[in-house]
């Protein structure tokens, strides 16, 4: 029987190998590029926002499996949210991924993102997991290009 870590690994590999909503929206309302200065990996987040709701979101990523998987999960989670709701979620998620805030991931709320819950044990990978989220937040500000921190 697979351990929970093995199951999380499978989820990450699945999203990395078959990223959801991959690509670039042809006429986006918001767009940003993210860059991880540590490794040189890049990604682009494009959005179609209408009436304050994220109707579409795509990510084109050239990066490691963690960054690709995190971006894929982001698109699934964020699509359909209001801008306010999505920004709040993104900031909370980044905090949970990078700081020891003592909050457990709620599997019902997080879905596949729960697979990233152990990432803070690997400080070198935190930037990988948060790059798409930083870039998403910068896309909402229409900052282009940006640094993924
Ligand atoms: Fe470059 Fe992960 S090693 S984003």
């Amino acid at each position: 029987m697979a351990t929970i870590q093995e199951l999380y690994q499978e989820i990450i590999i699945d999203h990395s190998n078959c990223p959801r909503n991959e690509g670039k929206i042809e006429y986006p309302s918001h767009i940003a590029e993210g860059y991880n200065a540590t490794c040189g990996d890049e990604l682009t987040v494009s959005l179609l926002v209408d009436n304050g709701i994220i109707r579409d979101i795509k990510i084109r990523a050239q990066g490691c499996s963690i960054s690709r998987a995190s971006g894929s999960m982001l698109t699934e989670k964020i699509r359909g949210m209001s801008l306010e709701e999505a920004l709040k979620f993104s900031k909370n998620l980044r905090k949970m991924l990078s700081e020891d805030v003592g909050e457990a991931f709620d599997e019902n709320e997080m879905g596949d993102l729960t697979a990233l819950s152990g990432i803070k044990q690997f400080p070198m990978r935190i930037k990988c997991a948060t790059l798409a989220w930083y870039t998403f937040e910068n896309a909402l500000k229409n900052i282009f290009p940006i640094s993924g921190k």
Side-chain angles (χ1 to χ4, degrees):
M1 190 173 157
T3 66
I4 193 75
Q5 280 75 23
E6 287 168 338
L7 289 174
Y8 287 170
Q9 191 66 29
E10 279 176 25
I11 292 170
I12 290 169
I13 289 169
D14 178 51
H15 276 276
S16 173
N17 289 345
C18 304
R20 288 31 157 201
N21 307 304
E22 186 178 37
K24 192 171 165 189
I25 294 172
E26 193 171 6
Y27 300 107
S29 57
H30 299 68
I31 189 165
E33 286 185 345
Y35 174 67
N36 184 341
T38 310
C39 60
D41 288 338
E42 300 173 342
L43 56 77
T44 304
V45 176
S46 53
L47 297 156
L48 192 59
V49 177
D50 175 40
N51 230 359
I53 303 294
I54 298 170
R55 304 288 180 194
D56 199 5
I57 176 167
K58 289 190 184 296
I59 294 187
R60 177 174 291 159
Q62 294 174 319
C64 66
S65 56
I66 301 281
S67 70
R68 288 167 59 83
S70 185
S72 172
M73 294 176 200
L74 181 156
T75 65
E76 286 198 319
K77 188 68 191 178
I78 291 300
R79 188 194 293 249
M81 282 186 178
S82 70
L83 290 176
E84 249 179 35
E85 189 183 14
L87 186 58
K88 185 176 171 196
F89 183 89
S90 180
K91 288 183 173 177
N92 282 342
L93 182 81
R94 282 196 298 102
K95 196 169 182 180
M96 289 171 76
L97 288 175
S98 57
E99 295 172 27
D100 202 5
V101 290
E103 283 181 50
F105 274 60
D106 176 344
E107 281 186 44
N108 292 327
E109 187 191 0
M110 294 292 172
D112 283 356
L113 285 162
T114 309
L116 298 173
S117 59
I119 209 76
K120 59 169 111 28
Q121 296 165 28
F122 307 98
M124 294 294 289
R125 306 315 299 271
I126 292 173
K127 281 185 182 176
C128 305
T130 56
L131 179 62
W133 297 87
Y134 274 113
T135 310
F136 163 69
E137 290 173 30
N138 281 323
L140 296 186
K141 296 181 259 179
N142 268 338
I143 295 171
F144 180 88
I146 58 93
S147 164
K149 189 183 175 192

